[in-house]
Amino acid sequence: MARFTAFRFTVDPTPGQDALLRRYAGASRFGYNQCLRLVKDALDAKSRGVVVKVPWTGFDLINAFNGWKRSAAAGRVMVAAADGTVTVEVTGLVWRAEVRQQVFEEAAVDLGRALAAYTSSKAGARAGKRVGFPRYRSKKRTLPGFRVRCKTSRSGRVDVRVGDDGGPRSVTLPGIGVLAVREDTRRLRRMLTKGRAKVISAAVSFRAGRWSVSLTCEAADLHDAHRHQADVPDTAEHGWVGVDRGLTAFVVAARADGTPVLRVDDPPRPARAGMPRQRRLARAVSRKKPGSANRRQAAARLAAHHAHMRAVRQRFLHHVSHQLVKTHDRLVLETLNITGMLGNHRLAAAIADAAWTELARQTTYKQAWRGGRLVLADRWYPSTKTCSACRTITPAMPLNQRVFTCGTCGYQADRDHNAAVNLAVWAEQHHARTRDPHAGGPDTNARRGEGTGPRTRADETSPDDAGTAPTPTGVRRGRPRRALPQDPNGLRDRP
């Protein structure tokens, strides 16, 4: 078993199963909120000088919740005897046996991850936006969902089964039973039967009026016929392929010698196509009385429309990423500052609809599954302004100029094709020092702030590394060192 993958199926529950799924989802939300309450109570007690251990990890939160659910704080009753004496009987959480214990445990694990992300972000060890302290999950604002693990009994029977009890299109979950699904489960059933996959957990969620179950599996490597050959020398058929992402042409791929490989000019653009209907549905929601059944129905129609647009986009991205990794074992993508690009309000909607980051994510893990190589070009590499024939860098390249013209040698080419060729050339110049995907370790061809070594942030290069900001004499390069994350119990987390 060498990779993790997920299979998602749409569930068709009966009315009784729908109520049971909502009960499990409510129990998961309750367990998360109660664990967070225990953390806040411990923090308040510690601020008053009381010596108490603050549960901060998933393991500590599970133990804290298990101790609370059997205590008098979770439930107690007053019992009056015949002689008039009244005693207090501790019942604990009386309904805890109605759902599986795994639901509470997985909710505690989720809170532990949220607390770890908050600690890392506060200490500066986490890239991206600042992560705040976890908040309580609201019943109205939180989408229903829960997660259970797949356990194996002593007899060898697993809790999560696919197509065993209720026919080929069914999934069996512990405590819930057989759930009918709409999609075909043949592919997953074959992998499970041949021992090429093992179900790890099942996550049930409610989105856009539909229940769905996602089975996380630990699967074996792809068949050798679907994997790229290892140690193939650089040739015209097996060289690096540069992939340029854009709006006019969604994807343009080419080799270093200028050979075009792939060009996608007609992306679906689901957000722009569905905007008129989205506006009508949004106006219909705003006109309904808050809290009424009509407003809930209008909101459900709007959510279904958003889910449809997302499904169209995801299907297209999977198709393009599959085309890229199927026949090309060496790909190079440009590093884009998408967050900064979204600041342009004229192009923000089109950039968000293109989903460049999602395309890069899918291409990355699919290429790893097939045993190929994928590298990210330097963020400051001028692939668009560089002439692929004479390597001359032009001073400016506005967005409305779709044809690249070199002022030195007179070379003319499509703007996106020229950028793709330059990306492939960059990869050929740096591939000798690129990290072997099977060896591990940091990238040695990346500048500071963009490698995979310690104290670095992905997709970022400092101006002084790019040669645009000289460092004054006596001033230390780089960002100041920050303290390592620390939890309330005094245990330092390693980055």
Side-chain angles (χ1 to χ4, degrees):
M1 302 297 179
R3 63 188 177 100
F4 288 92
T5 183
F7 292 83
R8 184 178 180 182
F9 306 103
T10 303
V11 180
D12 277 335
T14 63
Q17 290 177 343
D18 182 81
L20 187 59
L21 292 175
R22 294 184 182 275
R23 182 184 305 172
Y24 270 63
S28 177
R29 184 182 64 254
F30 174 83
Y32 183 93
N33 292 339
Q34 181 56 39
C35 290
L36 182 57
R37 187 175 294 109
L38 294 176
V39 172
K40 289 188 173 182
D41 292 345
L43 290 175
D44 293 340
K46 193 169 184 177
S47 63
R48 296 192 301 267
V50 181
V51 180
V52 60
K53 180 180 179 181
V54 181
W56 203 257
T57 63
F59 183 79
D60 294 338
L61 289 170
I62 292 175
N63 292 335
F65 181 85
N66 290 338
W68 171 85
K69 70 180 183 181
R70 299 183 179 89
S71 63
R76 59 186 183 274
V77 294
M78 309 294 290
V79 180
D83 55 356
T85 58
V86 179
T87 58
V88 178
E89 181 179 351
V90 177
T91 60
L93 195 62
V94 294
W95 54 271
R96 64 179 184 270
E98 298 180 6
V99 297
R100 285 299 182 102
Q101 175 64 22
Q102 301 178 23
V103 177
F104 300 114
E105 294 177 356
E106 294 300 319
V109 170
D110 291 342
L111 179 59
R113 293 174 180 173
L115 292 173
Y118 163 73
T119 304
S120 301
S121 179
K122 186 177 180 180
R126 179 186 175 92
K129 294 183 179 180
R130 179 64 63 89
V131 178
F133 192 81
R135 296 180 295 180
Y136 292 110
R137 291 182 175 178
S138 172
K139 183 177 181 181
K140 296 182 179 180
R141 296 182 178 88
T142 304
L143 296 177
F146 62 94
R147 187 173 63 253
V148 293
R149 298 187 303 273
C150 181
K151 294 185 177 181
T152 305
S153 62
R154 296 181 179 178
S155 60
R157 188 176 180 84
V158 295
D159 291 342
V160 180
R161 299 182 295 275
V162 180
D164 287 349
D165 303 325
R169 299 196 177 191
S170 65
V171 175
T172 304
L173 299 181
I176 297 177
V178 181
L179 295 174
V181 297
R182 298 182 181 182
E183 293 82 7
D184 190 7
T185 62
R186 180 182 302 175
R187 182 179 179 184
L188 178 57
R189 285 187 285 111
R190 287 180 176 178
M191 295 177 64
L192 295 174
T193 303
K194 296 180 179 180
R196 295 184 55 85
K198 180 177 63 175
V199 179
I200 303 299
S201 63
V204 182
S205 58
F206 184 79
R207 301 290 186 276
R210 295 180 179 179
W211 287 100
S212 62
V213 53
S214 298
L215 304 180
T216 302
C217 303
E218 185 179 2
D221 288 333
L222 295 178
H223 193 272
D224 293 339
H226 299 283
R227 291 175 58 86
H228 299 299
Q229 299 178 4
D231 301 331
V232 177
D234 290 344
T235 59
E237 295 79 10
H238 297 278
W240 287 93
V241 175
V243 181
D244 181 77
R245 294 165 288 176
L247 297 178
T248 304
F250 183 73
V251 165
V252 176
R255 301 188 186 276
D257 58 357
T259 305
V261 172
L262 176 66
R263 186 181 183 92
V264 180
D265 291 321
D266 52 347
R269 296 185 177 93
R272 188 178 69 175
M275 186 56 64
R277 176 175 173 80
Q278 178 180 338
R279 290 173 178 172
R280 292 195 302 269
L281 295 176
R283 286 196 297 266
V285 174
S286 62
R287 291 169 181 170
K288 301 298 186 294
K289 182 179 180 180
S292 63
N294 289 335
R295 189 181 181 92
R296 289 194 298 270
Q297 294 176 1
R301 287 191 291 268
L302 179 60
H305 177 67
H306 281 286
H308 173 72
M309 291 190 299
R310 181 183 182 275
V312 172
R313 183 183 298 110
Q314 288 291 111
R315 181 180 179 85
F316 171 73
L317 293 177
H318 278 291
H319 177 71
V320 174
S321 60
H322 180 72
Q323 282 187 302
L324 288 173
V325 305
K326 184 177 180 180
T327 55
H328 310 299
D329 58 344
R330 302 173 189 181
L331 298 176
V332 53
L333 299 176
E334 53 184 343
T335 303
L336 300 176
N337 182 17
I338 299 179
T339 303
M341 293 180 181
L342 293 177
N344 187 344
H345 299 289
R346 294 185 177 182
L347 299 177
I351 293 174
D353 197 12
W356 291 333
T357 303
E358 178 63 17
L359 176 64
R361 187 191 69 87
Q362 294 181 8
T363 307
T364 301
Y365 79 78
K366 290 181 180 180
Q367 188 74 327
W369 283 359
R370 291 180 176 268
R373 301 172 64 181
L374 186 143
V375 297
L376 296 177
D378 185 6
R379 176 176 174 180
W380 303 103
Y381 176 65
S383 59
T384 304
K385 299 187 298 181
T386 303
C387 177
S388 58
C390 65
R391 316 307 301 165
T392 303
I393 301 178
T394 58
M397 189 72 177
L399 292 177
N400 58 357
Q401 184 177 348
R402 305 309 307 170
V403 177
F404 175 84
T405 303
C406 180
T408 302
C409 65
Y411 172 77
Q412 289 186 353
D414 179 75
R415 172 196 183 103
D416 301 322
H417 177 78
N418 180 73
V421 173
N422 289 328
L423 291 173
V425 172
W426 182 92
E428 287 188 351
Q429 295 175 353
H430 297 77
H431 79 281
R433 292 177 292 170
T434 303
R435 176 174 61 91
D436 185 357
H438 302 287
D443 291 339
T444 57
N445 65 329
R447 297 178 179 178
R448 188 188 329 151
E450 192 172 339
T452 58
R455 295 190 299 275
T456 57
R457 296 180 60 183
D459 302 340
E460 179 177 331
T461 304
S462 58
D464 55 331
D465 290 334
T468 58
T471 304
T473 304
V475 179
R476 183 175 179 269
R477 285 181 176 266
R479 295 175 296 176
R481 298 186 63 181
R482 301 181 181 180
L484 294 176
Q486 188 172 1
D487 63 7
N489 301 319
L491 300 178
R492 299 174 68 89
D493 297 333
R494 296 183 179 273

